[in-house]
Amino acid sequence: IHAPGMEHVRDMVNGPINHPVITPYSTNYWNAGGLVHVQWNPDNPWNGGFSGNTNNIDFPALFTPGSPAHTNYLAMLDEVALGLRQLGDAGLTVLFRPLCECNSTQNWFQRRARDDYIRLFRWTFDYLAKTQGLNHVLWVYDALDGPHAQVPVTYYYPGDEVVDVFGVNLYDDDW
């Protein structure tokens, strides 16, 4: 008996998206009855470092059109849109989990001012869903719970109008 589950696409977590590999693999998985989950932790838009690089964070600059950080973030969103569009064109509905574990401290977008995170999540949603027209995407919000949570799981929740699935990540205390 074949019982597909959920595929977690890791290539979109950091850096460029490997479209030639992801699209056919994910399409085959979807066609076999599986769910495709894409996690995206964007690289640092201020200095080009990976998502865990927390140097040079300046949210007002990120939200300022024409600033290098704003331009870099839009370029990353365009890259994500390309990959998600290819999956949509192949007939897939995608669970998309951007900016995950918002109440953690591992990535540049985590544990920031509540309003900054919510604005970033909503901007990401607006750009991909509205500007890029990606309507085959189910938006996933998640937070940490358990021994590693610093604030409640709902603290950064960006709102029902931009979230389709609410999830909680729970890790053991020995990691």
Side-chain angles (χ1 to χ4, degrees), residues 11-102:
D11 290 45
M12 291 179 87
V13 173
N14 295 304
I17 302 165
N18 187 354
H19 308 298
V21 173
I22 290 175
T23 301
Y25 179 80
S26 296
T27 301
N28 289 338
Y29 196 82
W30 173 264
N31 289 337
L35 297 173
V36 176
H37 162 243
V38 175
Q39 174 185 333
W40 183 57
N41 293 341
D43 290 339
N44 182 318
W46 291 274
N47 61 32
F50 77 108
S51 64
N53 182 317
T54 58
N55 297 321
N56 307 323
I57 306 304
D58 178 7
F59 269 88
L62 180 63
F63 298 129
T64 302
S67 75
H70 188 270
T71 301
N72 291 341
Y73 193 75
L74 284 177
M76 288 187 275
L77 287 176
D78 286 338
E79 176 84 12
V80 169
L82 176 63
L84 291 174
R85 181 168 287 106
Q86 289 176 350
L87 294 172
D89 290 348
L92 282 69
T93 298
V94 176
L95 292 162
F96 181 55
R97 184 169 63 124
L99 308 165
C100 69
E101 297 182 349
C102 54

